Amino acid sequence: MNKLAVSNLDLYYGENHALKDISINIPSRQVTALIGPSGCGKSTLLRTLNRMNDLVAGVKISGTVAFEGEDIYADIDVKQLRMRVGMVFQKPNPFPMSIYENIAFGLKAQGVKDKAVLDKVVEDSLRGAALWDEVKDRLNSPAFGLSGGQQQRLCIARAIAMEPEVILMDEPTSALDPIATHKIEELMDELRKKFTIVIVTHSMNQAKRISDRTAFFWMGELIEQGETHQVFNHPQDSRTRGYVSGEFG
């Protein structure tokens, strides 16, 4: 079952045609990796999936992006959409507040005041991000005191707290060391049991390790997509073969 379905999507930044007739299905409760060289449209596509591109001046979009069959570019509540389709950015971006308040922030903004409810969500979310055991004794400490890898897992926990259905990840491990990267990848493997995940990555090995499906982009075009083992082991397009083999990229 597809959670998201992109059909004939074109996106322009002013005169720059950044995405060209993109059609791709994102299956439910799988990890879909978007790969390709810098500037090929991976992150641009990711941001269309929860309308983050709305925040960029001069953007023009045509085509459809359907979330559970509903076109998200129709007349919908964008705030609600972004709660259901969360995002984790390349650089960890914890709020300048305590670990606890980072997780509780979104719920409090929705009017949740019951401390028992907040406590449970904070613990459940930190457990879901494999961070609870590391921070349970310092929940009131500043989030900036965490390591980079812990901060990124905190950001994932913050997204989980809003009970999204989809988590978008834009190169979530590019700023992390190998040990922290491994922990995030283990976490994604666990999260796929409950969430649909779309990840942009420049690491071919990471895409091979963690994704169920892979889509290869080149100069704003979607060149090839399919099951990850197929794209990497039996690519159909010469540009895909060159990129996944490291010949160019």
Side-chain angles (χ1 to χ4, degrees):
M1 178 181 175
N2 293 320
K3 196 70 170 177
L4 289 153
V6 179
S7 302
N8 307 117
L9 182 73
D10 283 275
L11 183 145
Y12 292 82
Y13 292 125
E15 298 301 316
N16 176 30
H17 195 177
L19 293 175
K20 304 170 183 177
D21 195 26
I22 305 297
S23 293
I24 181 173
N25 292 326
I26 308 294
S28 181
R29 295 190 182 182
Q30 292 189 19
V31 177
T32 299
L34 310 182
I35 66 170
S38 296
C40 67
K42 308 181 299 294
S43 293
T44 298
L45 177 64
L46 196 74
R47 290 192 298 268
T48 67
L49 301 180
N50 69 346
R51 292 187 53 169
M52 289 293 288
N53 281 312
D54 287 11
L55 306 175
V56 181
V59 168
K60 294 181 292 183
I61 296 175
S62 63
T64 61
V65 179
F67 177 40
E68 295 193 327
E70 181 181 9
D71 184 4
I72 68 171
Y73 284 89
D75 184 18
I76 66 164
D77 185 331
V78 176
K79 183 178 178 181
Q80 288 293 322
L81 170 69
R82 291 179 185 153
M83 287 172 53
R84 297 176 69 193
V85 184
M87 192 157 193
V88 176
F89 296 92
Q90 179 176 357
K91 184 178 179 181
N93 61 337
F95 299 147
M97 53 185 65
S98 71
I99 295 167
Y100 182 100
E101 290 299 328
N102 262 270
I103 307 301
F105 182 84
L107 291 173
K108 287 184 174 181
Q110 289 185 318
V112 178
K113 297 178 181 179
D114 188 320
K115 190 171 187 306
V117 172
L118 294 172
D119 287 351
K120 185 177 189 305
V121 171
V122 168
E123 179 174 347
D124 289 349
S125 300
L126 288 169
R127 286 189 184 279
L131 191 57
W132 174 252
D133 288 339
E134 297 170 43
V135 303
K136 62 184 179 182
D137 296 324
R138 48 175 174 149
L139 294 177
N140 294 318
S141 299
F144 289 141
L146 299 174
S147 69
Q150 289 174 323
Q151 287 185 20
Q152 192 65 300
R153 281 184 284 152
L154 178 67
C155 293
I156 293 171
R158 192 173 65 200
I160 291 173
M162 302 309 294
E163 299 186 341
E165 297 167 52
V166 180
I167 302 176
L168 310 177
M169 297 186 173
D170 194 357
E171 296 188 63
T173 64
S174 64
L176 305 181
D177 61 46
I179 293 174
T181 294
H182 178 65
K183 287 185 177 181
I184 295 290
E185 290 180 1
E186 284 187 328
L187 174 57
M188 281 190 278
D189 191 46
E190 188 66 26
L191 291 176
R192 84 175 82 209
K193 297 174 184 177
K194 185 176 180 181
F195 304 100
T196 300
I197 299 174
V198 187
I199 178 173
V200 167
T201 180
H202 274 105
S203 169
M204 298 301 94
N205 287 330
Q206 182 172 77
K208 284 188 283 188
R209 284 193 299 265
I210 60 131
S211 68
D212 302 285
R213 294 181 62 82
T214 295
F216 171 62
F217 289 77
W218 182 266
M219 297 181 68
E221 296 182 36
L222 175 54
I223 302 301
E224 192 162 344
Q225 61 179 309
E227 294 184 6
T228 294
H229 68 84
Q230 170 69 40
V231 172
F232 278 93
N233 298 325
H234 304 288
Q236 301 299 304
D237 189 279
S238 60
R239 290 164 291 186
T240 313
R241 285 195 294 274
Y243 189 77
V244 300
S245 69
E247 180 181 338
F248 56 81

